[in-house]
């Protein structure tokens, strides 16, 4: 049902139809609502409904709304984006929000963003392509977001203070593109992150990974880490990279017949299609916690 403050009966016919369609969504299918901030528009999506597009950000009033093949005009009726977002979260029974900042998102004022998201729980921030200043302000506005995905340019332009604040955050999930040249020094400082995933070939060396394994075994870093996914260029690591990574560390080889089926709680192209598993190994930390390390290959990457 709609909230008492939502003017259902005053909406133009096509917008009224959209609201009715949203009301038929099964709330149990919706676990999050994702808002995409783009050039002069906002797009809403979730795991239980079609995309909805809001335009006209200069005035905070959507000039159009689209869902699937349907195009809905505002027809002169004032209904701001805040009303729509509140309605969506209520009718879908979902207060957990993912924010996705794309090209042109910096045109949306930060004070308007704070008003739009007031009272909602921000669980994920994705910075696809925006300005350095805007990305830093976004991170400052939502320090409690537990999932952070960053691609393209912003991270390379951040100052040391911003890097330190990100690396020390308590994160359930941190995913970044190859544009962010993370080194072993930064990786070792991410002691409060559970799942780390790098898309694109890393410049981390075999010696770096050997040092990482050794420090993990002695429990001197990354104590909360549960999953680490890295892509290595095979022409950089060579054919016997496994021996180099485990040099000087106790480990055991898992027989192929006993290979484990490894999974991740987050959707990832790196986990969906693994054409060839080179091998699985097991290491043990000083406190008795075991970790499985899998090497697989696709194209020229390992």
């Amino acid at each position: 049902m709609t909230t008492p403050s939502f003017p259902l009966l005053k909406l133009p016919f096509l917008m009224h139809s959209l609201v009715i369609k949203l009301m038929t969504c099964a709330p149990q299918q919706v676990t999050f609502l994702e808002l995409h901030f783009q050039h002069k528009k906002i797009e809403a999506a979730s795991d239980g409904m079609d995309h909805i597009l809001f335009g006209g950000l200069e005035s905070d009033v959507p000039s159009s709304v689209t869902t699937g093949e349907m195009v809905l005009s505002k027809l002169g009726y004032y209904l701001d984006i805040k009303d729509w977002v509140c309605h969506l979260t209520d009718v879908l029974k979902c207060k957990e929000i993912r924010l996705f900042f794309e090209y042109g998102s910096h045109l949306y004022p930060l004070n308007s963003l704070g008003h739009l998201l007031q009272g909602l729980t921000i669980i994920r921030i994705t910075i696809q392509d925006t300005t350095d200043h805007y990305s830093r302000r976004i991170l400052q506005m939502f320090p409690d977001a537990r999932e952070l995905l960053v691609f393209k340019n912003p991270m390379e332009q951040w100052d040391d203070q911003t890097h330190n604040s990100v690396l020390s955050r308590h994160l359930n999930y941190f995913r970044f593109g190859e544009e962010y040249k993370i080194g072993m020094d930064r990786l070792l400082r991410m002691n409060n992150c559970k799942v780390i995933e790098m898309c694109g070939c890393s410049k981390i060396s075999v010696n770096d990974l050997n040092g990482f394994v050794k420090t993990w075994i002695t429990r001197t870093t990354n104590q909360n880490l549960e999953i680490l996914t890295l892509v290595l260029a095979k022409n950089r690591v060579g054919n016997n990279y496994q021996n180099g990574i485990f040099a000087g560390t106790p480990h055991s080889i898992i027989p192929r017949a006993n290979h484990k089926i490894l999974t991740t709680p987050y959707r990832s192209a790196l986990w969906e299609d693994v054409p060839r598993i080179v091998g699985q190994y097991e290491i043990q930390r000083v406190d008795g916690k075991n970790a499985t390390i899998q090497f697989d290959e696709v194209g020229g990457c390992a």
Side-chain angles (χ1 to χ4, degrees), residues 36-41 99-108 125-136 138 148-158 175 177 179:
H36 289 239
F37 295 83
Q38 307 167 25
H39 182 62
K40 296 185 179 181
K41 62 185 179 181
L99 304 180
F100 199 116
F101 297 93
E102 302 182 50
Y103 173 75
S105 58
H106 65 283
L107 298 175
Y108 193 75
I125 297 174
T126 300
I127 301 176
Q128 175 73 29
D129 186 6
T130 190
T131 64
D132 167 40
H133 174 74
Y134 199 80
S135 66
R136 285 189 281 115
I138 290 298
L148 177 60
L149 294 78
V150 184
F151 304 95
K152 290 198 174 178
N153 298 322
M155 295 185 79
E156 283 304 299
Q157 302 170 9
W158 289 345
R175 181 181 182 185
E179 294 84 359

Side-chain angles (χ1 to χ4, degrees), residues 174-178 180-184 187-188 190 195-206 208-210 212-213 225 227-233 237 241 245 268 270-271 293-298 301-302:
F174 181 41
R175 181 181 182 185
F176 52 95
E178 65 179 321
Y180 181 41
K181 307 303 182 185
I182 189 169
M184 186 53 59
L187 183 61
L188 292 175
M190 298 194 67
V195 179
I196 302 174
E197 179 176 321
M198 178 174 183
C199 302
C201 288
S202 167
K203 290 188 176 181
I204 292 176
S205 68
V206 169
D208 288 336
L209 289 175
N210 177 251
F212 176 81
V213 171
L225 183 65
I227 300 174
L228 171 63
T229 307
L230 293 175
V231 180
L232 306 175
V237 300
Y241 57 88
I245 291 173
S268 169
L270 297 179
W271 286 71
I293 298 177
Q294 175 174 294
F295 297 108
D296 48 62
E297 294 182 358
V298 53
C301 296

Side-chain angles (χ1 to χ4, degrees), residues 2-234:
T2 60
T3 55
S5 61
F6 192 80
L8 175 62
L9 298 181
K10 295 181 180 181
L11 294 177
F13 172 74
L14 291 178
M15 281 192 170
H16 184 278
S17 299
L18 171 62
V19 173
I20 298 300
K21 180 177 180 180
L22 292 174
M23 292 170 65
T24 63
C25 292
Q28 65 270 19
Q29 295 179 352
V30 179
T31 58
F32 67 87
L33 179 66
E34 186 168 74
L35 300 179
H36 289 239
F37 295 83
Q38 307 167 25
H39 182 62
K40 296 185 179 181
K41 62 185 179 181
I42 297 178
E43 186 177 69
S46 80
D47 52 351
M49 71 175 194
D50 294 331
H51 286 224
I52 301 175
L53 181 68
F54 304 91
L57 298 189
E58 293 88 345
S59 60
D60 284 357
V61 181
S63 58
S64 65
V65 183
T66 66
T67 175
E69 298 299 323
M70 188 184 300
V71 179
L72 308 175
S73 172
K74 179 169 68 73
L75 298 180
Y77 182 78
Y78 184 89
L79 187 65
D80 68 16
I81 298 174
K82 175 69 173 180
D83 291 332
W84 277 105
V85 171
C86 289
H87 171 68
L88 290 176
T89 58
D90 286 337
V91 77
L92 299 176
K93 301 187 185 304
C94 177
K95 299 289 186 181
E96 295 193 336
I97 306 296
R98 295 179 177 183
L99 304 180
F100 199 116
F101 297 93
E102 302 182 50
Y103 173 75
S105 58
H106 65 283
L107 298 175
Y108 193 75
L110 289 170
N111 58 343
S112 298
L113 184 64
H115 170 70
L116 175 66
L117 301 172
Q118 185 176 6
L120 302 175
T121 301
I122 308 304
I123 61 172
R124 171 179 292 192
I125 297 174
T126 300
I127 301 176
Q128 175 73 29
D129 186 6
T130 190
T131 64
D132 167 40
H133 174 74
Y134 199 80
S135 66
R136 285 189 281 115
R137 291 292 305 276
I138 290 298
L139 293 172
Q140 293 169 1
M141 286 183 65
F142 307 106
D144 296 328
R146 292 292 179 260
E147 300 174 8
L148 177 60
L149 294 78
V150 184
F151 304 95
K152 290 198 174 178
N153 298 322
M155 295 185 79
E156 283 304 299
Q157 302 170 9
W158 289 345
D159 54 25
D160 290 340
Q161 182 178 357
T162 305
H163 278 295
N164 292 336
S165 67
V166 170
L167 297 176
S168 61
R169 288 177 77 139
H170 286 76
L171 296 172
N172 293 332
Y173 183 42
F174 181 41
R175 181 181 182 185
F176 52 95
E178 65 179 321
E179 294 84 359
Y180 181 41
K181 307 303 182 185
I182 189 169
M184 186 53 59
D185 58 333
R186 288 179 177 173
L187 183 61
L188 292 175
R189 287 158 58 193
M190 298 194 67
N191 202 38
N192 299 314
C193 189
K194 294 182 179 179
V195 179
I196 302 174
E197 179 176 321
M198 178 174 183
C199 302
C201 288
S202 167
K203 290 188 176 181
I204 292 176
S205 68
V206 169
N207 288 336
D208 288 336
L209 289 175
N210 177 251
F212 176 81
V213 171
K214 289 179 178 178
T215 57
W216 185 87
I217 288 176
T218 58
R219 205 185 177 191
T220 54
T221 187
N222 299 89
Q223 297 181 21
N224 295 318
L225 183 65
E226 296 177 1
I227 300 174
L228 171 63
T229 307
L230 293 175
V231 180
L232 306 175
K234 197 171 181 182

